[in-house]
Amino acid sequence: MTAASTAPVDIRREFVALLPRLRRFALTLSASVDDADELVRAACAKAIIKGQCPTDDNPSAPWLFQLIRRVSSDMAKKRKPKPREPAGETRDKAGTEQQHAVLAMPAGQASAFLLVEIEGFSYTEAAEILGIPTERLASHLCAARLSFAARDATSAKRRA
């Protein structure tokens, strides 16, 4: 077997390993869980069809996150926006509340927060994935963090 014939299999394996992370990101860009799943499917299919193999200089994770954002933008142009609905429930109540809090943020804030705080991308990488200037990303992160701080202050008052 040649190296060229094994490359798509390696890309697909890497895609499968990234699916939970890609789906989380797609949820910040989508109106529903179904839309997020469709977005991930469309982006991965497009990546496989393009056949662009990520290299050490261009790892696949940021490339796939960018592709999901581009496909999301293309899909948004084709259909009318729907109201966002929270993701399905999980067993961890605190995790569910945090997930709902992130998804309740405006899309720009949710995506920025997820990429930097949860996925661990640098400000520069996250800004590149989202196709925005680093300063705008920092603004989105600040707003998201303030939203969480206000939410925590409110819940602390309720507990007291």
Side-chain angles (χ1 to χ4, degrees), residues 1 9-10 14 27 35-36 44 55 72 76 84 103 122 159:
M1 223 184 246
V9 174
D10 294 338
E14 192 165 350
L27 283 168
D35 288 348
C44 287
T55 63
S72 173
R84 293 169 64 101
L103 293 176
S122 70
R159 283 181 268 171

Side-chain angles (χ1 to χ4, degrees), residues 22 25-27 29-30 33-45 67-73 75 79:
L22 297 173
F25 179 59
L27 283 168
L29 301 172
S30 301
V33 173
D34 292 337
D35 288 348
D37 290 341
E38 178 58 31
L39 179 56
V40 171
R41 278 192 294 273
C44 287
L67 189 57
I68 285 178
R69 185 197 40 90
R70 282 190 222 117
V71 170
S72 173
S73 179
M75 291 173 117
R79 65 178 121 164

Side-chain angles (χ1 to χ4, degrees), residues 25 61-70 115 121-132:
F25 179 59
W63 176 67
L64 283 169
F65 279 93
Q66 283 179 335
L67 189 57
I68 285 178
R69 185 197 40 90
R70 282 190 222 117
L115 289 173
F121 287 107
S122 70
Y123 280 34
T124 304
E125 290 171 322
E128 189 175 304
I129 288 168
L130 295 172
I132 60 174

Side-chain angles (χ1 to χ4, degrees), residues 108-124:
Q109 291 178 20
S111 298
F113 186 84
L114 179 117
L115 289 173
V116 173
E117 299 296 338
I118 297 172
E119 295 298 333
F121 287 107
S122 70
Y123 280 34
T124 304

Side-chain angles (χ1 to χ4, degrees), residues 19 40 44 82 91 93 122 126 132 145-146 155:
L19 281 177
V40 171
C44 287
K82 299 179 200 173
R91 292 181 198 191
K93 187 174 189 234
S122 70
I132 60 174
R145 289 172 179 150
L146 288 172
S155 63

